[in-house]
Amino acid sequence: MYEPMTLNEYAAKKRLALYEDLLAGREPSEGAFSNELLADGRVKGPPQMGTTRYEPNAIICEFIYPDARTSATVLSVRLESPERIVFMPVPSWVVENIWQGDIAGTHHFESESARLMLELERDLTPDGNLHWFDKQAAKRRE
């Protein structure tokens, strides 16, 4: 079980623990990873923290082993999430009104607001949320 915290806090705590394992020359204490990539990375020197990616049921922590003579090795450690991860999209009615860094809402009739909320709720279901984990195209104002 895990102590209640935000996803970012949880991922940062896990990523730091994995990083400390790798810096100390140990294998990651948890998660799935490639032993071959770990061995390849170790000969290049100490790791650097890379990105953290999310899937609906996993946190993927990346560690980079740089090497100026060859290409860097990226070790991905896949951690199972203690609960489903949900991407919360910015609702379309907010995106339409972003101006110079200020984010504001828009006015709608109550019936239209109810329809928009149902749309957002559908985006949070397991099937409706899955596409948000793919790379998203930039939103454009029309």
Side-chain angles (χ1 to χ4, degrees):
M1 197 63 182
Y2 74 103
E3 55 190 85
M5 59 180 77
T6 67
L7 174 59
N8 285 339
E9 291 169 334
Y10 182 84
K13 182 178 177 180
K14 293 293 185 176
R15 185 177 59 240
L16 183 58
L18 293 170
Y19 183 63
E20 289 172 354
D21 287 342
L22 295 171
L23 280 177
R26 298 185 301 265
E27 288 188 353
S29 53
E30 65 178 298
F33 59 93
S34 165
N35 284 314
E36 186 176 297
L37 285 175
L38 178 58
D40 185 49
R42 282 182 169 161
V43 299
K44 295 179 179 185
Q48 298 174 354
M49 282 197 194
T51 62
T52 300
R53 295 181 292 112
Y54 300 104
E55 293 177 357
N57 296 300
I59 300 165
I60 297 98
C61 300
E62 294 181 346
F63 301 94
I64 303 164
Y65 290 88
D67 187 345
R69 297 165 299 168
T70 63
S71 60
T73 298
V74 178
L75 175 69
S76 296
V77 180
R78 180 187 176 84
L79 303 170
E80 294 302 314
S81 177
E83 62 180 275
R84 183 169 77 96
I85 297 171
V86 175
F87 179 82
M88 298 196 62
V90 175
S92 60
W93 65 89
V94 174
V95 172
E96 291 172 0
N97 227 19
I98 294 176
W99 178 250
Q100 295 182 352
D102 295 328
I103 299 175
T106 55
H107 297 90
H108 296 277
F109 285 120
E110 183 177 3
S111 60
E112 177 68 1
S113 294
R115 185 190 66 74
L116 291 169
M117 290 304 294
L118 284 173
E119 211 173 277
L120 181 60
E121 285 180 25
R122 278 194 298 273
D123 272 343
L124 299 181
T125 65
D127 289 338
N129 197 252
L130 194 56
H131 76 94
W132 292 105
F133 287 87
D134 295 332
K135 188 166 180 77
Q136 299 295 311
K139 292 184 171 45
R140 304 273 187 242
R141 287 186 69 143
E142 311 236 353

